Amino acid sequence: MDNYILSVGTANPGNKVSQEKISKFMINAHGLDRQQSRKLKFIYKHSGIQSRHSALEDFDQEDHRHFSFFPKTPTLDPFPGTKCRMEVYRKVAPAVATTAIEDCLRKAKTSVTSITHLVVVSCTGMYAPGLEIDLIHRLGLPFSIERYAIHFMGCYAAFNGLKLADRICDSDQNARVLVVAVELCTLHFQKDYNEDNLLSNALFGDGAAAALIAKEPKGIKIKDYESSLYQEGQQEMAWGIGDFGFEMKLSKYIPDLLEKGIHRLKHNLEKRFNLSLIRHFAIHPGGIQILNKVEKALGIAPEQNRHAHAVLRRYGNMSSATILFVIMALLEDPFLQGPVLAMGFGPGLTLETLLLDKV
């Protein structure tokens, strides 16, 4: 008997901030000259992103004198350390995750008492006792609930959460698994002006999403999945803990590497998933160049992956939570039916593939 994603709920902290306004924050924060400012504005204008959300109000400010988290100085010194960023995570993450869960359960027309397993996914913060325990207290879940935490796997981590939920439902036909991805990427803004920081600061936003998985034939069926490692890109995407937040290694070559990797995998994708018969796609919107290159490699039109483009446009890249935003759009699209191939990418270079079926 198959397992299904019954519903997905989402939430975002703070106000929606336009990409144009964030570019002005970045110019101010980095202290860019006219030539550097033109380059940054060009990147932001062609990012495929119109707006993002942040747990920090500072990204909605153009004048450093109005900052509430970063220092009110042109140099942003003393720059906030990792500890103080994790304090914000510990405060905001449970609240935004709770809102996403409540949205998910409302759509599924079910109560929190029906949940048997809780899987928390995040790569932008961690503490112990953890987020999953805070959610148990906030939601009134039983203290005996089975709980799991998937940390630091990057943008593809929600795929692992969904696969774990699928395995749990296979082993327990009465299981109702709640997968919650919470990412506060903007907490890790880096002020050093280099290529890695320029790219990551241009893409990432904050958000949370919750998905309910069970053996109930409605929503989107989980049919199959596969993981792949593309070792040529191992050094091009990385995520480490630094003294001033988490540090992202994000090479400009990633879109080209993904295109090459998918070309190599196409035979296997055809054999495993009947790729040539699939008309709908949910590609993790890591950036507009990633979407363009992956679509080119798969030989598909942007319209076939339109929900990913829409999520990127409205929210940016919210790391692991992003693909659940895309799946929510698939669920709520009244005209979409049939198989959907979802793909996600992350450090490794990892490629995760998930075959879904909209019933």
Side-chain angles (χ1 to χ4, degrees), residues 265-283:
L265 289 171
K266 282 183 77 171
H267 176 75
N268 191 48
L269 293 173
E270 180 64 39
K271 184 177 178 181
R272 184 78 180 258
F273 303 119
N274 291 319
L275 177 63
S276 59
L277 300 179
I278 297 173
R279 296 292 174 263
H280 306 294
F281 292 81
I283 310 301

Side-chain angles (χ1 to χ4, degrees), residues 46-58:
H46 295 86
S47 65
I49 300 169
Q50 292 180 354
S51 58
R52 290 183 271 166
H53 289 257
S54 175
L56 303 175
E57 296 179 355
D58 291 3

Side-chain angles (χ1 to χ4, degrees), residues 255-266:
D256 290 326
L257 288 168
L258 286 173
E259 183 182 12
K260 291 177 183 177
I262 290 170
H263 273 300
R264 293 182 186 180
L265 289 171
K266 282 183 77 171

Side-chain angles (χ1 to χ4, degrees), residues 89 94 97 101 118-121 126-139 141-142 145-151 180 182:
Y89 179 92
I101 291 168
L118 176 64
V119 180
V120 169
V121 179
M126 60 188 78
Y127 56 92
L131 174 58
E132 72 279 7
I133 292 179
D134 282 343
L135 292 176
I136 288 171
H137 290 301
R138 279 175 168 264
L139 295 165
L141 291 163
I145 192 170
E146 285 192 38
R147 54 189 173 86
Y148 304 88
I150 297 174
H151 285 304
V180 188
V182 188

Side-chain angles (χ1 to χ4, degrees), residues 162-197:
L162 293 173
K163 291 192 295 182
L164 175 58
D166 185 61
R167 299 296 191 191
I168 291 169
C169 291
D170 281 345
S171 65
D172 179 357
Q173 64 177 359
N174 296 315
R176 294 174 72 82
V177 186
L178 193 62
V179 177
V180 188
V182 188
E183 302 292 9
L184 304 182
C185 306
T186 65
L187 294 184
H188 302 292
F189 165 71
Q190 302 293 316
K191 70 172 182 176
D192 292 340
Y193 188 69
N194 56 46
E195 187 173 90
D196 288 341
N197 292 338

Side-chain angles (χ1 to χ4, degrees), residues 234-255:
Q234 188 169 352
Q235 303 303 318
E236 304 302 324
M237 187 187 296
W239 190 228
I241 299 176
D243 293 333
F244 302 101
F246 299 176
E247 298 170 348
M248 170 66 75
K249 165 69 175 176
L250 192 65
S251 167
K252 65 182 179 182
Y253 301 111
I254 290 171

